[in-house]
Amino acid sequence: MNFDTAFDRLMGHEGGYSNNPADPGGETMWGVTKRVAAANGFTGSMKDLPRDFAKSVYRRQYWDAVKADQLPEFITFDVFDAAVNSGVSQSIKWLQRAVGANPDGVLGPATIAAASTAGPTAAARFNGWRLSDMTDMGGWPTFNKGWARRIASNLKAL
């Protein structure tokens, strides 16, 4: 899966404007928080954040950060989606657990090699680790249905 395809699929999870008071991310557009948008030079209203601006943020801060172009096709989107939803380091730890690598949150050659030889069932293990850990997160009581549906959608696409 290439970045453009992954981004379009991600918008099915992240697209649109949101300002849920229960969300610690606060105001978002296309899933990009106001804090992240500002850190990347955006100064306008979040409702006006261009989709292409969001796309460039996702490419740099998430896709490239998890070295998605180096991961096997069967797990690329899951790792990218989890990085967006739960952070890059956490997503890498789930990947490492799923492929039997040291879960240190650093995506290096050993993790990439382990992922490359793990086989497609690693994506199911990845999502199992992700769902299990998310049930312990503080936002679970509020966002559980959305998070569970997001992971279920990823599993259905395997």
Side-chain angles (χ1 to χ4, degrees):
M1 172 176 297
N2 66 31
F3 173 71
D4 290 330
T5 301
F7 176 78
D8 288 342
R9 183 170 161 196
L10 181 73
M11 288 299 98
H13 296 311
E14 293 288 348
Y17 176 79
S18 175
N19 193 10
N20 185 331
D23 187 345
E27 190 176 19
T28 65
M29 181 65 174
W30 309 116
V32 175
T33 66
K34 187 172 186 173
R35 180 186 57 79
V36 169
N40 285 275
F42 184 75
T43 59
S45 165
M46 286 303 290
K47 290 181 180 179
D48 297 328
L49 184 85
R51 189 175 190 266
D52 284 343
F53 184 93
K55 188 173 184 177
S56 70
V57 169
Y58 282 121
R59 175 75 190 217
R60 187 174 50 260
Q61 290 191 213
Y62 302 102
W63 183 266
D64 291 345
V66 298
K67 301 179 183 177
D69 288 324
Q70 297 178 45
L71 295 175
E73 175 96 12
F74 61 79
I75 204 159
T76 303
F77 182 79
D78 299 290
V79 175
F80 172 57
D81 180 58
V84 168
N85 190 222
S86 300
V88 169
S89 179
Q90 183 59 67
S91 181
I92 292 168
K93 287 177 186 176
W94 289 329
L95 171 64
Q96 290 167 326
R97 289 182 184 126
V99 300
N102 178 33
D104 61 5
V106 178
L107 187 56
T111 301
I112 292 170
S116 296
T117 60
T121 58
R125 287 192 302 275
F126 176 92
N127 283 294
W129 281 108
R130 181 180 180 187
L131 183 58
S132 178
D133 286 356
M134 289 184 88
T135 65
D136 293 330
M137 291 181 179
W140 183 257
T142 303
F143 299 107
N144 57 14
K145 285 184 183 177
W147 289 346
R149 286 182 180 138
R150 183 178 189 140
I151 295 168
S153 172
N154 293 349
L155 286 166
K156 290 176 188 176
L158 293 179

